[in-house]
């Protein structure tokens, strides 16, 4: 999608040098800086420090990581060890395991000499398929939004033709190779001429809504308004939200959804106000091996410092970190929560809309 | 309550100089700075800029403001004009109107010469009564917590004897003349030896949880952990919250509660998990003239800058403001939301526990 008017992807494989360019998302929205990944360790660090994040993009990036590892040590034991190291970078997103499984299964039948080339080719295929998947999610989701808009226009109580969509965190193109999951239907509907306005919830503690989603939507020219996470219930209570669309980090076989912390509170409020709550995700986000999301999905605990400190631009436009709390304050930082299937209206996947998994 | 080991109040009338000392809450937790209020305009500015905040403390402070105005112009028209100016400083908290009504009604029967003295005396009485009220709220609320703890200890599924209370925003002694509303039961129960731990939700956008409640609890030696507002549903889902206690800015005759934005989302989650949700408030917070909170309570809209910018300490321990978002980002900042009576387990008032208003 657009970065200062030019089409870019969140990860750009360089076939001549066998490296991959990523946009360092920890510096957005204030600095646009591309980094080159050329080793497994680069890649693991980019995932752990969240220079790349978002379940689909973590998967795609890890595929290149396993290529780098295979290039350096194509033995079975080398590949298995690299798989384990890359797999341990983030615990919740299932796409990480899915992509690593896929690359490993693809390359093991080859000779050690052929393996690096096979890994690179598979990483390229995973990237291309992620983009196709997200386009399909966008097309199916845009149809859903068109239906929603025409139902609303048919109802008497609709004063404005603009559809108000609430999203949480960032499940835009920055969370995937391109297009995004939750934002792809919005991009597609907007391109087809639908009047859309997006409520962007800031998504504490890492503020991916405020720093990534608001930036993406601005680059793409989509009308949007930033709100604090606390405001979602109030807006719904006042009829200002027509639908919620969020992404997913892992979905159980029964449809429970792990997504960014705070998703669950929004889903509870949406049910209270009979507002449709959609999960947009590739089917690779489904973990068919588990069913009870609250019990079975591992929830990543991140540093309390993400809660007590924040970075932004100071008055001289320099990046600055500040501490918000008294020095001795203890904080707890669960990165995800689980929204039970009963609160979810439908899943927008590349295969179409599913009301149940 | 305690500030660095010394007992202080959030507002301290100085009877010799006829001024009032306030703790500047916009500088907490990093700087402890007391300011002297000596004019109506000082007072209005302190309320508008939230150097003092919290419904009960806004009321108490406004009473001194009306004294200052009466000292300078004790005529009927002077008093009415000052009433209007002070009343317009914050729209949602009803205690502001209650305190202004009370001072005005008290002083109008006096001669213009006697009015200033009568206003000062009434402001002192309002302050003293606020403290008594909050002590009574604390005693009634502590009984409730003792019952909760013994019920829990009786249940088989209680692994730990510590009661986990979640609160939102700051309804501690900083929101009142002293003791607080929501935190007063916690202070009283803690003083009586009960094992309590408080989940402090940071309360975006102004972070009164992170900067005021965490500071108050630390000064008082109460175990607590800071969380982002997004985490409340997740903690409840995992059995980590035994009760919620929050304050109120205005309560309708039917029990709907306007309180800090985000209260409503927590109340919805508490109902889902059958966790008691208590409102601690003086009965002066009830606006008997209205019944439908969502329709009838005016919700203050504050500057979008409170969402897009934040202040804290930089690495050199200097106060610094940073911008979080892309420069052009539009934000919406509703300061309060309304929790319908159906989601509230009970109201902890100075007159006792009421399950219904």
């Amino acid at each position: 999608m657009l970065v200062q008017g030019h089409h870019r992807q969140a990860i750009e494989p360089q076939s001549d040098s066998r490296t991959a360019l990523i946009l360092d998302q920890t510096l957005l929205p204030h600095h646009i800086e591309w980094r080159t990944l050329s080793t497994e360790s680069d890649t693991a660090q980019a995932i752990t420090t969240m220079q790349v994040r978002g379940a689909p993009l973590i998967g795609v990036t890890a595929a290149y990581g396993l290529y780098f590892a295979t290039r350096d040590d194509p033995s079975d034991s080398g590949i298995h060890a690299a798989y384990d190291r890359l797999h341990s970078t983030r615990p919740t997103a299932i796409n990480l395991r899915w992509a690593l499984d896929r690359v490993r299964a693809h390359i093991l039948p080859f000779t050690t000499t052929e393996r690096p080339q096979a890994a690179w080719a598979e990483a390229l295929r995973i990237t291309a398929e992620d983009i196709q998947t997200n386009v399909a999610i966008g097309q199916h989701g845009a149809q859903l939004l068109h239906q929603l808009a025409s139902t609303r226009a048919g109802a008497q109580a609709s004063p404005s033709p603009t559809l108000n969509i609430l999203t949480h965190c960032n499940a835009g193109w920055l969370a995937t190779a391109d297009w995004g999951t939750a934002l792809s239907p919005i991009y597609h509907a907007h391109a087809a001429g639908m009047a859309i306005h997006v409520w962007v919830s800031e998504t504490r503690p890492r503020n991916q809504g405020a720093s990534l989603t608001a930036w993406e939507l601005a680059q793409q020219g989509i009308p949007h308004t930033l709100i604090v996470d606390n405001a979602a219930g109030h807006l719904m209570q006042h009829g200002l939200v027509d639908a919620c669309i969020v992404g997913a980090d892992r979905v159980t076989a029964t449809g429970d959804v792990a997504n960014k912390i705070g998703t669950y509170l929004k889903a509870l409020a949406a049910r209270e106000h009979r507002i449709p709550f959609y999960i947009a995700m590739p089917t690779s986000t489904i973990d068919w091996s588990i069913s009870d999301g609250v019990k079975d999905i591992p929830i990543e605990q991140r540093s309390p410092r993400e809660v007590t400190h924040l970075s932004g631009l100071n008055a001289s436009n320099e990046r600055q970190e500040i501490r918000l709390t008294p020095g001795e304050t203890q904080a707890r930082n669960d990165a995800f929560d689980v929204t039970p299937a009963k609160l979810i209206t439908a899943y927008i996947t590349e295969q179409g809309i599913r009301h149940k998994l």
Side-chain angles (χ1 to χ4, degrees), chain A:
Chain A
M1 305 293 281
L2 298 178
V3 177
Q4 300 177 321
H6 301 283
H7 181 257
R8 301 297 300 259
Q9 293 181 187
I11 187 163
E12 299 183 342
Q14 311 290 304
S15 281
D16 50 347
S17 56
R18 296 284 173 92
T19 57
L21 269 185
I22 57 160
L23 184 52
D24 183 347
Q25 301 191 23
T26 61
L27 301 180
L28 287 175
H30 305 301
H31 300 287
I32 295 170
E33 210 167 300
W34 296 84
R35 295 193 190 283
T36 300
L37 302 183
S38 52
T39 66
E40 178 212 326
S41 136
D42 283 353
T43 310
Q45 208 209 347
I47 297 173
T48 309
T49 60
M50 297 179 66
Q51 290 177 356
V52 291
R53 24 65 55 200
L57 182 58
I58 289 171
V60 172
T61 307
Y64 291 97
L66 199 49
Y67 155 73
F68 298 133
T70 307
R71 182 198 56 199
D72 294 344
D73 178 359
S75 69
D76 283 19
S77 64
I79 289 168
H80 293 310
Y83 177 107
D84 290 341
R85 285 191 301 270
L86 287 162
H87 185 240
S88 69
T89 50
R90 299 285 307 272
T92 302
I94 193 66
N95 312 60
L96 173 61
R97 189 176 82 195
W98 173 87
L100 291 171
D101 280 345
R102 188 166 145 176
V103 174
R104 183 169 64 175
H106 178 73
I107 63 178
L108 284 179
F110 287 92
T111 64
T112 51
T113 322
E114 296 163 332
R115 282 175 179 177
Q117 165 63 22
W120 180 258
E122 189 65 5
L124 288 181
R125 267 192 295 275
I126 287 174
T127 311
E129 287 174 26
D130 183 60
I131 297 171
Q132 289 163 13
T133 293
N134 299 331
V135 167
I137 287 172
Q139 290 166 339
H140 294 302
Q143 280 192 330
L144 202 66
L145 296 184
H146 279 289
Q147 286 164 15
L148 213 62
S150 40
T151 313
R152 243 206 38 177
Q156 287 183 331
S158 63
S160 137
T162 299
L163 209 63
N164 287 294
I165 309 289
L166 185 144
T167 191
H168 186 56
C169 195
N170 174 267
W173 68 266
L174 290 169
T176 64
D178 207 359
W179 285 98
T181 53
L183 296 191
S184 186
I186 291 167
Y187 290 139
H188 280 84
H190 180 78
M194 186 188 287
I196 288 198
H197 166 261
V198 183
W199 295 112
V200 177
S201 75
E202 66 169 345
T203 318
R204 288 282 292 142
R206 289 184 63 99
N207 292 38
Q208 293 97 331
S211 59
L212 305 181
T213 299
W215 180 82
E216 257 199 62
L217 293 171
Q219 296 287 324
Q220 216 65 30
I222 312 265
H224 61 282
T225 306
L226 180 67
I227 52 167
V228 294
D229 302 303
N230 281 327
H234 175 68
L235 295 178
M236 293 186 197
Q237 198 178 44
H238 286 268
L240 297 170
V241 178
D242 295 305
C244 304
I245 313 181
V246 300
D249 290 81
R250 189 186 301 214
V251 178
T252 68
T254 53
D256 293 349
V257 173
N259 191 44
K260 184 59 51 199
I261 190 88
T263 302
Y264 178 41
L265 288 172
K266 290 177 173 64
L268 285 168
R271 178 184 61 178
E272 180 72 6
H273 295 287
R274 296 191 172 75
I275 294 165
F277 195 89
Y278 299 118
I279 305 296
M281 93 251 180
T283 50
S284 56
T285 306
I286 305 172
D287 182 350
W288 294 106
S289 71
I290 55 175
S291 60
D292 182 336
V294 176
K295 268 200 205 147
D296 297 338
I297 300 177
I299 299 296
E300 178 176 5
Q301 297 261 343
R302 295 186 60 86
S303 164
R305 198 180 169 88
E306 293 185 349
V307 178
T308 56
H309 291 64
L310 254 182
S311 288
L313 286 194
N314 65 19
S316 329
N317 276 334
E318 291 154 352
R319 193 177 170 77
Q320 179 105 54
E321 185 182 59
I322 57 171
R323 175 160 60 80
L324 302 173
T325 53
E328 69 279 9
T329 300
Q330 305 294 310
R332 175 175 164 134
N333 185 14
D334 302 81
F336 303 92
D337 62 21
V338 172
T339 299
K342 66 174 180 182
L343 300 179
I344 293 159
T345 310
Y347 306 81
I348 307 172
T349 79
E350 75 277 17
Q351 300 170 2
I353 310 297
R354 293 175 171 215
H355 290 275
K356 269 198 152 186
L357 285 195

